[in-house]
C-alpha cells in the first residue's frame, strides 16, 4: 500500500485561519468527488470555522477520562476502519490525553499515512521543536506541545496561512478568535504587535528554507549543476592572508546593497593540511564574517580553484569575491595562472569580483627568504661550506680522471642534492650556478676556456641548471612542510599538556609551572592590575612559578594579556612569533580557568545565601504559625475587657490597635516568606485599579489620619492578581499613613506608561537616606526599621509585586519622605 501524503497549513499564531483553510481544502476536494472525512477539528466556537464543516462527514470522537475529567480525542481506530481518501486532522502538535495509544497527535497522523490515507492538518510555528527556545524568548511563554522538525519537513506540501499583525489584532477585537473575557489579556500579552511580527518572520524564514531545500533537491535529482539566481548569495574566498578583512568587508557591502542577499565565506585547506596560512588571521576573519551576519565554511581540497567553484555551485552562489594575486607579473609568468585566474575561467555564469588590496602584485621577493622557512642561518653556512668542499673535490677528481661533461654534471648534481638537504634552496641555487660555470670551464671542449663549442654541451648545462633548481625547490618545500608539521605537533602537545595539567590540578601555580616548562622560561607570573588610585604598586602577583618571577609586565621578556585586568608575564628568553601564538592560547585557557573558578565561587556563595534565605523564611513562617493561637487568645481577652468601665475600654481599644498592627506585620511576613519560596498562588488577569483602591480604603478603615487618592478619570486595567495587588497597595498605604504628619497626608497616584501602569504611594515623613537600590532578598535581610525603604511593609509589597511580574522602586519624596512606585503590565488604553 502506498504511503499517504501529508499537507500542512502553517501559521504564525492562533487565529490566522489555518483551520478554516484546511476545511476549505476539504470542501474543495469533496466537490471534486474525493472521499473526505473530518478526523478531528477544533473550531474554538468560531462561527465561520464551524460553518465550513457543513457537508463534511465527521468521524465521532473517542471519549476518555483522566483524573475525574472527561475529554474527547480523535478516534484513530474509527478513522482507520473508515479508510477515507483524505482525513482532516487539526492541531498536529497536540498532546493526547494520557492513556491513549500514542502520546502525540502527529504519531496518530503517522499511522494514518502508513495506512495510505492522505492527511491535511494545521500547525503553528511556535510548536516546532527547533524554534521552541526562540519563541520563548520572544513571547515569554514556553510551549509544552512541540513537534519534531523532521515530521514537518517530511510533509509533501507546506502552505503558509499568512496575515499581518494588524489584521489579526482586528480580528481578535471583533471576537473572531477568543471569547470577550480573554481578548484584553491576549492583546496585551501574547498578541502584541512585536510578538506577532517576530513570529510571522520566523514562519516566513522557516518556509523559505524548506523551499530552498526543495529547490536543491530538484536540482540534484535532475543533475542541474549551474546555479539558479533565485536568491543572491555572495561568496568570499579567504586564503588566511592579511587581505582577508578587506575582502570580507567588500563582500558585505555588496550583500547589503542587495535586499535579502546571503553572505558566505570559505577557506580551502589543502589535503595535507600544511598550507602557509595564519590560524590567528583566519580566526579573526571568521569572527568578522559572523559579526556581519554571514556564515563561515572551511573545506579541504587539493585544487583550491576547483574546490571554490564546486562549493559555490553547491551553495547556488551568484557572486564570488576574490583578492587580486599577491604575485607580480614575473612570478605569475613563471608559475602560471593563479587561483583568481582559474576561478574566473571555471566560474561559468557566476560573477567574479577581483578586489585589489595593499598586498596585491607586490615586487618579486627572492631574498632574504621569508620567515618560517625550513633552514636557519647555521644550516645555510653549513650548506655553503659543504658546497665548496664537494664541488672542489669533484672538480679535482674529474680533472685527475678526465671526466666528460656529462660525468662531471652527474657528480655535481649529487653534490647539489647534499647541499640542498643541508643548507636549503638558496644555498643550492648559488652552488648550482657555481657548478654550471665550473663544469663548462673545465670539462666542456675546448677545456679550460670560457666558452662552450658544441650545442649539445650547452643543452646539457641548461638541463642541469633546471633540474638542480627543481630538486632544490622540492627539498626546500619538503623541509618547510616537515618543520610545520613538527611545529603543529609540538603546539598540540603543549596545549594538550596544559589542558591535562588544568584538569588534574586546577591550581594556578601548577598551570604556570607547566607553561614555564613548555617554553623553557626561567619564571612565569600571573599579574593583576589594581584599580587606579589603589595603594602600592600598579600590579601585584596572583600566582607565579620559577625563581625571581616578574612583578610587572615591563620587567618581563614576554607578556600576553589574559583578561582586561590580568596579564601573563614570562622571564628568561624572547619568544618567537609561533611561540607567542601558542602562549596566547595558553593564556586563553588560563582565562577560562579563572572564569570557572569565579563562577564556582559565586555559585557556592549563592548556594549559601539560598540556604540562609530558605532557613530564615521557614523560621518566619513557623513563627507566624506559632503566634496564631496566642494572638487569638489575646484578642478574646481584649474583647472581654471592652465590656468593663471607661478605663478598661480605653486600654482594650489601645490593645486592639496594637494587636491589629502585630497581625498586619505577621501577614506581611507570611507574604514575604511565600514570595521568597515561590509558594504564592497567583492568577493574573486584567484588574481595574479603581476596585483595588476601593478595597484598599475599606481595609484601612476609618481613622484619625487622611489619605489622598489622586488618579486619572480613565485608566487601563492592570495585569495582576487582584488579591495580591490589593494587599501590596494596602500595606504601603498603611505604612505611608503612619509615617506622614497630619499636615501632609499620604497620597496614592497612578501614572500610565507605555505598556505599563505605575502606582505611586507617597508619604511625607522623615527624610530618606540616599543609597542604591537592592533586591528584595537583600532588603529583607536589611529590614531593621531604621531605613523606611527597607522596612518590612516595603519589602513585602516589593516581593508581592515582583511575584506578579512587576517591579518596585523606592526614591526620596521632595521635601522629605518616601515614594514607592509599583509598576505592572497593563492592557491597551489611554496614555497620559
Amino acid at each position: 500500500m502506498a504511503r499517504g501524503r501529508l499537507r500542512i497549513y502553517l501559521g504564525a499564531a492562533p487565529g490566522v485561519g489555518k483551520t478554516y483553510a484546511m476545511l476549505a481544502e476539504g470542501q474543495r476536494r469533496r466537490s471534486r468527488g474525493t472521499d473526505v472525512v473530518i478526523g478531528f477539528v477544533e473550531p474554538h466556537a468560531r462561527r465561520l470555522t464551524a460553518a465550513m464543516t457543513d457537508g463534511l462527514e465527521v468521524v465521532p470522537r473517542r471519549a476518555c477520562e483522566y483524573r475525574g475529567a472527561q475529554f474527547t480525542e480523535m478516534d484513530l481506530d474509527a478513522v482507520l476502519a473508515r479508510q477515507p481518501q483524505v482525513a482532516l486532522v487539526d492541531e498536529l502538535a497536540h498532546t493526547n490525553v494520557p492513556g491513549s495509544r500514542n502520546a502525540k497527535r502527529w504519531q496518530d497522523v503517522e499511522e494514518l499515512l502508513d495506512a495510505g490515507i492522505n492527511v491535511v492538518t494545521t500547525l503553528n510555528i511556535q510548536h516546532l521543536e527547533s524554534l521552541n527556545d526562540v519563541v520563548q524568548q520572544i513571547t515569554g511563554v514556553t510551549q509544552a506541545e512541540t513537534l519534531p522538525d523532521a515530521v514537518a519537513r517530511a510533509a509533501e506540501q507546506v502552505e503558509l496561512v499568512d496575515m499581518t499583525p494588524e489584521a489579526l489584532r482586528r480580528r481578535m477585537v471583533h471576537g473572531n478568535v477568543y471569547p470577550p473575557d480573554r481578548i484584553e489579556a491576549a492583546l496585551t500579552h501574547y498578541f502584541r504587535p512585536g510578538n506577532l511580527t517576530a513570529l510571522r518572520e520566523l514562519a516566513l524564514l522557516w518556509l523559505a528554507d524548506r523551499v530552498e531545500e526543495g529547490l536543491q533537491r530538484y536540482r540534484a535529482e535532475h543533475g542541474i549543476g549551474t546555479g539558479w539566481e533565485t536568491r543572491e548569495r555572495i561568496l568570499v574566498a579567504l586564503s588566511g592572508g592579511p587581505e582577508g578583512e578587506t575582502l570580507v568587508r567588500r563582500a558585505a557591502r555588496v550583500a547589503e546593497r542587495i535586499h535579502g542577499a546571503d553572505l558566505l565565506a570559505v577557506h580551502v585547506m589543502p589535503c595535507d593540511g600544511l598550507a602557509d596560512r595564519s590560524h590567528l588571521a583566519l580566526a579573526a576573519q571568521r569572527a568578522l564574517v559572523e559579526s556581519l551576519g554571514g556564515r563561515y565554511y572551511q573545506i579541504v581540497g587539493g585544487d583550491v580553484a576547483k574546490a571554490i567553484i564546486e562549493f559555490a555551485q553547491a551553495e547556488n552562489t551568484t557572486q564570488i569575491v576574490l583578492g587580486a594575486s599577491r604575485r607580480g607579473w614575473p612570478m605569475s609568468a613563471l608559475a602560471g595562472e593563479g587561483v583568481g585566474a582559474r576561478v574566473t575561467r571555471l566560474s561559468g555564469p557566476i560573477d567574479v569580483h577581483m578586489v585589489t588590496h595593499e598586498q596585491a602584485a607586490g615586487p618579486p621577493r627572492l631574498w632574504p627568504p621569508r620567515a618560517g622557512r625550513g633552514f636557519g642561518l647555521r644550516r645555510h653556512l653549513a650548506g655553503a661550506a659543504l658546497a665548496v668542499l664537494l664541488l672542489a673535490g669533484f672538480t679535482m677528481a674529474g680533472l685527475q680522471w678526465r671526466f666528460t661533461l656529462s660525468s662531471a654534471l652527474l657528480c655535481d648534481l649529487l653534490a647539489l642534492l647534499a647541499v640542498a638537504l643541508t643548507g636549503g634552496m638558496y644555498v643550492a641555487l648559488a652552488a648550482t650556478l657555481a657548478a654550471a660555470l665550473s663544469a663548462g670551464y673545465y670539462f666542456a671542449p675546448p677545456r679550460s676556456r670560457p666558452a662552450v663549442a658544441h650545442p649539445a654541451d650547452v643543452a646539457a648545462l641548461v638541463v642541469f641548471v633546471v633540474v638542480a633548481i627543481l630538486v632544490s625547490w622540492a627539498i626546500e618545500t619538503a623541509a618547510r612542510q616537515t618543520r610545520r608539521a613538527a611545529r603543529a605537533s609540538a603546539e598540540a602537545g603543549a596545549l594538550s599538556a596544559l589542558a591535562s595539567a588544568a584538569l588534574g590540578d586546577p591550581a594556578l601555580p601548577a598551570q604556570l609551572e607547566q607553561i614555564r616548562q613548555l617554553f623553557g622560561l626561567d619564571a612565569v607570573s600571573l599579574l593583576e592590575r589594581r584599580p587606579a588610585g589603589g595603594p602600592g604598586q600598579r600590579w601585584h602577583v596572583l600566582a607565579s612559578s620559577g625563581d625571581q618571577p616578574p612583578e610587572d609586565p615591563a620587567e618581563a621578556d614576554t607578556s600576553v594579556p589574559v583578561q582586561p585586568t590580568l596579564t601573563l608575564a614570562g622571564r628568561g628568553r624572547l619568544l618567537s612569533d609561533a611561540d607567542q601564538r601558542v602562549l596566547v592560547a595558553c593564556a586563553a585557557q588560563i582565562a577560562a580557568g579563572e572564569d570557572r573558578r569565579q563562577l564556582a565561587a559565586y555559585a557556592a556563595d549563592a548556594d549559601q545565601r539560598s540556604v540562609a534565605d530558605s532557613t530564615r523564611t521557614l523560621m518566619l513562617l513557623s513563627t507566624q504559625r506559632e503566634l496564631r493561637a496566642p494572638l487569638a487568645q489575646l484578642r478574646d481577652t481584649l474583647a472581654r475587657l471592652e465590656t468593663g468601665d471607661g478605663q478598661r475600654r480605653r486600654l482594650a481599644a489601645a490593645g486592639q490597635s496594637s494587636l491589629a498592627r502585630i497581625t498586619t506585620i505577621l501577614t506581611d511576613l507570611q507574604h514575604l516568606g511565600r514570595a521568597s519560596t515561590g509558594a504564592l498562588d497567583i492568577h493574573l488577569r486584567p484588574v481595574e485599579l479603581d476596585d483595588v483602591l476601593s478595597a484598599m480604603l475599606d481595609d484601612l478603615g476609618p481613622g484619625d489620619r487622611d489619605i489622598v487618592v489622586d488618579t486619572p478619570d480613565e485608566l487601563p486595567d492592570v495585569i495582576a492578581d487582584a488579591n495580591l495587588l490589593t494587599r501590596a497597595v494596602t500595606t504601603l498605604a498603611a505604612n505611608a499613613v503612619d509615617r506622614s504628619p497630619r499636615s501632609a497626608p499620604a497620597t496614592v497616584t497612578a501614572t500610565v506608561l507605555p505598556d505599563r501602569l505605575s502606582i505611586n504611594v507617597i508619604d511625607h515623613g522623615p527624610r530618606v537616606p540616599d543609597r542604591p537600590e537592592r533586591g528584595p532578598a537583600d532588603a529583607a535581610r536589611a529590614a531593621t526599621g531604621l531605613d523606611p525603604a527597607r522596612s518590612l511593609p516595603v519589602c513585602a509589597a516589593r516581593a508581592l509585586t515582583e511575584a506578579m511580574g512587576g517591579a518596585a522602586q523606592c526614591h526620596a519624596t521632595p521635601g522629605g519622605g518616601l515614594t514607592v512606585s509599583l509598576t505592572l503590565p497593563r492592557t491597551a488604553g489611554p496614555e497620559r
Side-chain angles (χ1 to χ4, degrees):
M1 181 179 298
R3 180 178 169 85
R5 298 178 178 180
L6 177 63
R7 178 170 185 166
I8 298 176
Y9 284 95
L10 179 68
V16 296
K18 303 180 300 299
T19 304
Y20 187 92
M22 179 188 70
L23 293 172
E25 175 66 14
Q27 294 283 8
R28 185 182 67 84
R29 296 195 183 193
R30 185 182 69 89
S31 66
R32 294 187 310 179
T34 305
D35 184 14
V36 181
V37 301
I38 295 177
F40 185 94
V41 166
E42 184 58 66
H44 297 288
R46 298 168 188 166
R47 179 177 53 82
L48 297 177
T49 303
M52 285 299 296
T53 62
D54 293 344
L56 292 173
E57 179 184 347
V58 180
V59 177
R61 297 186 185 184
R62 175 177 58 87
C64 49
E65 182 177 350
Y66 179 67
R67 292 184 178 179
Q70 294 293 326
F71 299 92
T72 60
E73 293 286 0
M74 180 178 70
D75 193 337
L76 178 59
D77 292 330
V79 178
L80 290 172
R82 173 64 175 76
Q83 198 66 26
Q85 290 179 288
V86 177
L88 307 181
V89 181
D90 206 3
E91 299 177 355
L92 183 60
H94 171 75
T95 300
N96 293 330
V97 173
S100 302
R101 180 195 304 180
N102 297 312
K104 296 287 187 177
R105 183 165 294 164
W106 65 264
Q107 295 171 323
D108 295 340
V109 170
E110 286 293 318
E111 290 196 30
L112 296 178
L113 295 173
D114 291 338
I117 301 174
N118 298 328
V119 177
V120 182
T121 185
T122 63
L123 176 68
N124 278 330
I125 192 66
Q126 64 264 28
H127 293 301
L128 286 172
E129 182 65 44
S130 63
L131 300 177
N132 188 260
D133 56 338
V134 180
V135 173
Q136 195 276 333
Q137 294 174 0
I138 294 172
T139 64
V141 178
T142 302
Q143 298 292 334
E145 295 182 332
T146 58
L147 177 78
D149 285 45
V151 177
R153 291 173 184 268
E156 184 182 68
Q157 297 182 56
V158 179
E159 182 174 336
L160 180 65
V161 182
D162 190 30
M163 179 174 290
T164 64
E166 294 78 10
L168 180 56
R169 285 171 60 87
R170 284 196 302 269
R171 175 180 287 186
M172 181 167 292
V173 170
H174 295 157
N176 295 330
V177 180
Y178 286 156
D181 59 336
R182 297 178 56 189
I183 293 176
E184 285 294 336
L187 289 174
T188 55
H189 286 78
Y190 194 89
F191 286 82
R192 292 196 298 267
N195 289 0
L196 296 177
T197 302
L199 292 174
R200 187 187 185 201
E201 182 178 9
L202 282 179
L204 291 169
L205 291 175
W206 188 89
L207 188 60
D209 289 339
R210 302 296 76 73
V211 173
E212 179 66 21
E213 290 178 1
L215 177 61
Q216 297 292 355
R217 186 166 54 250
Y218 177 84
R219 294 175 65 232
E221 291 174 352
H222 292 76
I224 302 174
T226 58
W228 287 359
E229 298 185 10
T230 56
R231 179 191 298 182
E232 288 289 335
R233 288 180 174 86
I234 316 301
L235 175 65
V236 54
L238 301 176
S239 65
E243 74 281 359
E245 293 189 1
T246 302
L247 301 181
V248 171
R249 290 191 172 92
R250 175 61 176 165
R253 289 195 296 271
V254 174
E256 286 176 358
R257 296 190 185 105
I258 306 172
H259 181 70
D262 294 336
L263 174 63
L264 297 86
V266 63
H267 170 69
V268 181
M269 295 180 59
C271 296
D272 57 9
L274 298 174
D276 186 10
R277 65 189 185 279
S278 172
H279 295 278
L280 294 178
L282 281 175
Q285 292 163 17
R286 175 175 186 168
L288 178 61
V289 170
E290 294 175 348
S291 68
L292 293 172
R295 300 193 302 273
Y296 177 88
Y297 298 90
Q298 190 162 286
I299 60 177
V300 177
D303 188 332
V304 176
K306 187 176 180 181
I308 292 174
I309 291 299
E310 290 177 351
F311 179 83
Q313 292 174 347
E315 292 295 326
N316 205 16
T317 300
T318 58
Q319 302 182 50
I320 300 177
V321 177
L322 293 169
S325 176
R326 284 176 283 178
R327 299 181 299 185
W329 68 266
M331 295 299 296
S332 298
L334 292 175
E337 63 178 355
V339 173
R342 290 202 64 212
V343 168
T344 303
R345 180 167 55 83
L346 299 174
S347 61
I350 303 176
D351 298 334
V352 178
H353 302 268
M354 299 294 293
V355 179
T356 59
H357 47 87
E358 295 180 355
Q359 290 76 24
R365 180 180 177 181
L366 299 177
W367 188 266
R370 291 180 297 175
R373 294 292 183 182
F375 299 90
L377 179 60
R378 290 184 179 181
R379 295 285 297 273
H380 288 315
L381 294 177
L386 182 62
V388 172
L389 291 176
L390 291 179
L391 292 179
F394 283 140
T395 300
M396 293 176 63
L399 292 174
Q400 179 70 27
W401 296 328
R402 301 188 66 83
F403 284 178
T404 63
L405 178 61
S406 59
S407 300
L409 291 178
L410 287 176
C411 292
D412 289 344
L413 185 60
L414 178 62
L416 292 176
L417 287 175
V419 171
L421 289 171
T422 304
M425 182 177 67
Y426 293 99
V427 176
L429 291 178
T432 298
L433 181 60
L437 295 175
S438 174
Y441 183 81
Y442 288 109
F443 300 106
R447 299 193 176 204
S448 302
R449 293 183 182 181
V452 179
H454 300 293
D457 295 336
V458 175
L461 289 173
V462 171
V463 171
F464 168 77
V465 171
V466 172
V467 170
I469 291 175
L470 293 177
V471 170
S472 301
W473 174 81
I475 292 175
E476 173 77 8
T477 302
R480 185 170 63 249
Q481 292 184 348
T482 301
R483 185 169 181 175
R484 287 201 187 98
R487 180 69 195 180
S489 177
E491 292 176 2
L495 294 176
S496 176
L498 181 61
S500 300
L503 292 175
D505 184 3
L508 274 176
Q511 297 186 46
L512 296 180
E513 175 63 20
Q514 185 71 29
I515 292 176
R516 189 186 70 80
Q517 295 178 6
L518 288 174
F519 293 96
L521 298 173
D522 296 335
V524 177
S525 299
L526 183 62
L527 306 177
E528 182 181 29
R529 182 167 46 199
R530 289 178 175 175
Q537 298 177 353
R538 184 183 177 188
W539 298 87
H540 73 279
V541 180
L542 283 183
S544 64
S545 176
D547 297 331
Q548 299 181 353
E551 299 180 355
D552 191 285
E555 302 175 2
D557 295 317
T558 184
S559 63
V560 294
V562 177
Q563 289 179 349
T565 59
L566 296 179
T567 294
L568 185 64
R571 183 180 58 79
R573 69 182 181 93
L574 294 176
L575 299 182
S576 64
D577 292 340
D579 288 338
Q580 284 274 7
R581 177 161 56 88
V582 181
L583 187 61
V584 169
C586 295
Q589 290 199 13
I590 290 181
E594 280 295 291
D595 292 339
R596 287 194 299 269
R597 277 187 284 272
Q598 292 179 4
L599 289 175
Y602 291 154
D605 186 46
D607 290 341
Q608 293 178 356
R609 290 198 302 267
S610 177
V611 171
D613 289 342
S614 299
T615 303
R616 186 177 295 105
T617 300
L618 291 175
M619 291 178 62
L620 290 175
L621 295 176
S622 177
T623 302
Q624 194 267 349
R625 287 194 297 267
E626 293 296 331
L627 288 177
R628 285 179 181 175
L631 289 175
Q633 295 177 0
L634 181 58
R635 188 178 295 106
D636 294 340
T637 301
L638 291 175
R640 287 194 294 270
L641 288 175
E642 288 179 347
T643 60
D645 54 16
Q647 181 67 19
R648 288 188 174 184
R649 284 197 299 271
R650 286 192 296 273
L651 292 175
Q656 288 284 13
S657 176
S658 299
L659 182 61
R661 180 59 178 164
I662 293 174
T663 303
T664 301
I665 292 174
L666 292 177
T667 302
D668 292 341
L669 286 174
Q670 181 184 21
H671 286 306
L672 182 60
R674 289 182 175 177
S676 300
T677 57
L680 287 174
D681 188 14
I682 302 175
H683 300 282
L684 298 180
R685 62 179 182 84
V687 177
E688 293 187 11
L689 187 58
D690 291 340
D691 295 340
V692 173
L693 297 180
S694 298
M696 175 201 72
L697 296 175
D698 293 339
D699 291 343
L700 292 176
D704 57 352
R705 301 282 185 94
D706 294 333
I707 183 170
V708 178
V709 178
D710 184 11
T711 60
D713 295 335
E714 296 182 4
L715 281 175
D717 293 345
V718 62
I719 306 299
D721 185 291
N723 294 330
L724 296 183
L725 181 59
T726 301
R727 180 70 261 173
V729 176
T730 302
T731 300
L732 292 177
N735 182 63
V737 169
D738 292 340
R739 284 178 39 82
S740 299
R742 297 179 183 274
S743 58
T747 305
V748 178
T749 65
T751 305
V752 180
L753 305 173
D755 296 330
R756 304 185 79 80
L757 181 68
S758 177
I759 305 171
N760 311 302
V761 181
I762 307 168
D763 70 56
H764 302 281
R767 182 175 297 276
V768 176
D770 186 11
R771 65 183 64 189
E773 284 292 325
R774 292 161 56 160
D778 291 336
R781 285 192 291 271
T784 61
L786 300 178
D787 186 351
R790 299 175 185 172
S791 62
L792 181 59
V794 175
C795 292
R798 184 197 300 268
L800 294 175
T801 303
E802 293 179 348
M804 293 183 288
Q809 294 181 340
C810 300
H811 52 273
T813 303
L818 176 70
T819 297
V820 182
S821 299
L822 307 182
T823 307
L824 290 160
R826 67 172 178 86
T827 62
E831 297 186 7
R832 296 181 182 275

